Amino acid sequence: QVQLVESGGGLVQTGGSLRLSCAASGSIFGINNMGWYRQAPGNQRDLVATITSGGNTNYADSVKGRFTISRDNAKKMVFLQMNSLKPEDTAVYYCHATIRLNEVITRLYWGQGTQVTVSS
């Protein structure tokens, strides 16, 4: 059974930094794209950043220059370094990954979410 487990959320003041981590575990043949979404109360879940297995990255305009996504393929982990945090970054952050279960089956998985709160 495949799981994604996030860690690193918390409460920080405006201008502060946090680093989110997400670890994939279970019967995994390989991992394609990994990334982060976020959802604030009353809002839809929005893309924050993604990274391919080769290291190509994509960011939402609202976080460019402040957030950095990275991954460790050997450890099956993805990270999100968040700097210069703003109150509008407050949300539940979800890890996601496109995981190959075998040579034929690929599925999208989500983590349980971790709360990030930025106080003004």
Side-chain angles (χ1 to χ4, degrees), residues 50-59 69-71 73:
T50 61
I51 185 168
T52 68
S53 58
N56 293 320
T57 58
N58 179 53
Y59 295 93
I69 189 170
S70 60
R71 64 189 282 174
N73 289 332

Side-chain angles (χ1 to χ4, degrees), residues 13-18 65-67 82-87 89 118:
Q13 291 185 336
T14 297
S17 299
L18 284 174
R66 301 187 299 121
F67 291 9
M82 303 185 294
N83 298 329
S84 302
L85 283 160
K86 305 174 181 179
D89 294 318
V118 185

Side-chain angles (χ1 to χ4, degrees), residues 37-119:
Y37 280 68
R38 67 186 181 186
Q39 187 170 18
N43 290 358
Q44 64 183 16
R45 191 173 296 187
D46 293 325
L47 169 74
V48 176
T50 61
I51 185 168
T52 68
S53 58
N56 293 320
T57 58
N58 179 53
Y59 295 93
D61 287 343
S62 59
V63 306
K64 284 180 180 176
R66 301 187 299 121
F67 291 9
T68 302
I69 189 170
S70 60
R71 64 189 282 174
D72 184 327
N73 289 332
K75 295 182 178 180
K76 300 184 180 65
M77 295 187 71
V78 63
F79 308 95
L80 186 68
Q81 178 66 43
M82 303 185 294
N83 298 329
S84 302
L85 283 160
K86 305 174 181 179
E88 51 263 45
D89 294 318
T90 295
V92 177
Y93 284 69
Y94 295 92
C95 170
H96 77 95
T98 304
I99 294 177
R100 289 175 283 138
L101 303 180
N102 51 47
E103 291 182 349
V104 177
I105 299 173
T106 298
R107 290 181 182 162
L108 178 63
Y109 288 86
W110 292 91
Q112 80 285 358
T114 185
Q115 177 70 46
V116 171
T117 303
V118 185
S119 63

